[in-house]
Amino acid sequence: MGEPRWLDEREARVWQAYLAVNRELHSAVERQLVRDSGLSNADYALLVPLSQAPDGVVRSRELGALVGWERSRLSHQIGRMEKRGLVVREECAEDARGSMVRLTAAGRAAIESAAPGHVATVRRYVFDDLSPEEAAVLDRVFHRVLDRIAADT
């Protein structure tokens, strides 16, 4: 395997800053969502693709892929959301082994109520202090990293 390619001082500083931004941004968004809407980041993560889907219905397996979650995590989160009336599970008409997740009227109302505050928080902490050029650089960098990860999986 050879000698590790250690991070130099600048790379280590950038990596540590990325980890801190990821942690602190996630926490700030979570606090805002819970405070303003009673939703968690996990709730919001599932409500977004459901609200964008035709008829508010997505196959469970596809929903898990859209948010990058394993089946167990998805199942537990859907169960919590079902208890609060945000979603319901349904049998898949085409495949008896599959299941569908449907956004309820309460779930749609919750995402529609939460979205403006969520967007304002993201804008405040990420985009308001960036120039259009800086945002374009982040876009290119993040997509390059994602492409590299996808190529290796």
Side-chain angles (χ1 to χ4, degrees), residues 26-117:
H26 187 272
S27 294
V29 169
E30 180 85 23
R31 283 190 306 272
Q32 178 276 318
L33 279 170
V34 170
R35 180 188 70 233
D36 295 349
S37 68
L39 297 176
S40 67
N41 276 332
D43 295 331
Y44 197 87
L46 295 182
L47 290 173
V48 168
L50 286 168
S51 70
Q52 295 170 340
D55 299 322
V57 180
V58 178
R59 187 180 180 100
S60 290
R61 181 176 47 218
E62 181 184 341
L63 186 58
L66 287 169
V67 296
W69 293 0
E70 293 182 11
R71 190 169 59 182
S72 175
R73 180 179 182 192
L74 180 68
S75 179
H76 287 295
Q77 183 62 34
I78 290 171
R80 287 189 288 273
M81 293 171 73
E82 274 185 307
K83 288 177 184 171
R84 292 169 38 227
L86 301 172
V87 298
V88 293
R89 284 184 246 221
E90 302 174 347
E91 290 184 16
C92 179
E94 297 86 40
D95 178 6
R97 296 176 302 162
S99 67
M100 308 297 284
V101 180
R102 179 179 297 278
L103 184 65
T104 64
R108 184 161 305 277
I111 188 71
E112 288 175 356
S113 174

